Amino acid sequence: MLSYFFRRLLLVLPVAFGVSVICFMLVQIAPGDPLTAIMPVDATAEEQAAMRAAYGLDKPLPVQYAIWIGNLAQGDMGKSIATGRPVAQEVFGAVQNSLLLAVSAAVIAFPIGIFLGFLAGYFRDTLLDRAVTALSITGVSVPNYWLGIVLVIIFSVNLGWLPSMGAGPGGSQSWEWDWLHMRHLILPAVTLAVVPIGIVARTVRALAGDILTMDFVQALYAKGMSRGDVLRHVARNAASTALSVMGLQLGYLLGGSILIETVFNWPGSGFLLSNAIFQRDLPLLQGTILILALFFVAMNLIVDVAQAAIDPRIKRS
């Protein structure tokens, strides 16, 4: 198992390098001048040149990339052009908030999706199966930002039960583990969980339905095994593929929550990325995209190792 982990880890290294190159180049080829946000309109050519030299934008792209990678290796992600604060400080604070939101949404979505999927798979081609399938398709199809706005109108504006913006009282951008702050997490977490519920439910439904028709399941029943024991065998056979889907969904919840964070003014990486795009803040854009991409790569590594631990056939292949 340890050798399998190190083999997968070696494969991650070139992927991480490729991710860094893509993150750097995508931001560089985007239109617009990143220094327009901080330079005065009447800046002279000499002042513009001095500003470009200060941020290293006067050097060729390969040199800029080498400097960027070298600074990253030392833990220096540069400074934000718009605010002047260290990028690492802004990115890691935002990623912590996004991770809190993503994990909360996953805690809601994965158990519900697994339960509904097994229920639909066990009672395949029945009215219950059709109802779960319809709910899953609806959850996947409904735009989550629209659902977020609807939930705000119902529970914040009309009923006044839950707050609609920020991570704490008064639009606070910091997080604390108390009820006043946790109330702000409920609406964005529920909104973000709707799509993964549908995806996980449909995946588990297909897996459970197919496994229940296999010969070994009938053999287990023929041996006199109880229904609960048989379902445990079914769950174990479905766990590997379901885990892969849930791992991808967790990555999506962290990196794809930009609209939800904007709707709820949640101070996460998606909200930070949105501001960086509009401000054309190159260092902040590069740092945020890189951290999110590396998290996705790390999540795939964890899922691969977990799959091998659950299903020995993967490790042997």
Side-chain angles (χ1 to χ4, degrees), residues 211-222 230 233-234 237:
I211 294 172
L212 284 168
T213 61
M214 292 182 178
D215 293 338
F216 84 90
V217 175
Q218 305 305 319
L220 293 177
Y221 278 122
V230 172
H233 282 277
V234 172
N237 278 269

Side-chain angles (χ1 to χ4, degrees), residues 114-128:
I114 292 171
F115 174 75
L116 291 177
F118 263 106
L119 204 62
Y122 188 80
F123 296 101
R124 198 166 186 173
D125 298 326
T126 64
L127 184 60
L128 180 60

Side-chain angles (χ1 to χ4, degrees), residues 256-268:
S257 59
I258 181 170
L259 293 176
I260 299 300
E261 292 183 0
T262 302
V263 168
F264 292 98
N265 198 29
W266 184 264

Side-chain angles (χ1 to χ4, degrees), residues 8 30 136 158 188 219:
R8 299 301 302 175
S136 301
N158 293 340

Side-chain angles (χ1 to χ4, degrees), residues 8-274:
R8 299 301 302 175
L9 186 61
L10 287 176
L11 292 175
V12 164
L13 296 178
V15 173
F17 173 74
V19 164
S20 70
V21 173
I22 293 173
C23 289
F24 181 82
M25 293 306 300
L26 283 178
V27 173
Q28 292 291 334
I29 64 177
D33 189 345
L35 297 180
T36 54
I38 59 174
M39 281 195 303
V41 179
D42 56 348
T44 64
E46 291 78 10
E47 291 173 338
Q48 293 180 14
M51 187 69 71
R52 291 183 183 282
Y55 283 94
L57 298 177
D58 58 333
K59 297 178 176 63
L61 286 181
V63 176
Q64 290 185 42
Y65 175 76
I67 295 173
W68 183 59
I69 285 294
N71 291 336
L72 279 177
Q74 302 174 38
D76 181 12
M77 303 177 72
K79 291 187 177 181
S80 168
I81 293 177
T83 65
R85 291 193 293 267
V87 170
Q89 177 183 333
E90 298 215 14
V91 169
F92 286 114
V95 168
Q96 286 177 4
N97 290 330
S98 286
L99 192 59
L100 172 66
L101 179 58
V103 171
S104 300
V107 168
I108 297 171
F110 294 166
I112 295 176
I114 292 171
F115 174 75
L116 291 177
F118 263 106
L119 204 62
Y122 188 80
F123 296 101
R124 198 166 186 173
D125 298 326
T126 64
L127 184 60
L128 180 60
D129 178 24
R130 296 188 184 95
V132 171
T133 301
L135 286 174
S136 301
I137 294 174
T138 303
V140 173
S141 304
V142 172
N144 52 13
Y145 64 88
W146 175 84
L147 178 62
I149 295 172
V150 171
L151 292 179
V152 167
I153 293 173
I154 296 174
F155 293 100
S156 297
V157 178
N158 293 340
L159 298 176
W161 290 354
L162 295 169
S164 61
M165 299 179 68
S172 171
Q173 303 294 298
S174 59
W175 176 262
E176 294 181 16
W177 289 100
D178 55 36
W179 175 240
L180 290 177
H181 287 76
M182 292 178 67
R183 292 175 70 244
H184 288 75
L185 183 62
I186 295 174
L187 285 183
V190 169
T191 304
L192 198 59
V194 170
V195 172
I197 287 175
I199 293 174
V200 172
R202 293 181 67 186
T203 302
V204 173
R205 181 258 181 198
L207 289 170
D210 290 340
I211 294 172
L212 284 168
T213 61
M214 292 182 178
D215 293 338
F216 84 90
V217 175
Q218 305 305 319
L220 293 177
Y221 278 122
K223 288 182 177 180
M225 190 172 289
S226 66
R227 182 178 300 177
D229 291 334
V230 172
L231 289 179
R232 276 194 290 273
H233 282 277
V234 172
R236 185 172 182 179
N237 278 269
S240 177
T241 304
L243 183 64
S244 176
V245 172
M246 288 188 288
L248 292 175
Q249 286 305 302
L250 184 58
Y252 154 77
L253 289 174
L254 180 66
S257 59
I258 181 170
L259 293 176
I260 299 300
E261 292 183 0
T262 302
V263 168
F264 292 98
N265 198 29
W266 184 264
S269 57
F271 189 68
L272 183 68
L273 191 62
S274 175

Side-chain angles (χ1 to χ4, degrees), residues 266-291:
W266 184 264
S269 57
F271 189 68
L272 183 68
L273 191 62
S274 175
N275 290 336
I277 291 171
F278 285 112
Q279 294 171 347
R280 194 70 171 86
D281 194 336
L282 282 187
L284 192 57
L285 268 174
Q286 289 170 339
T288 307
I289 294 172
L290 179 66
I291 294 300

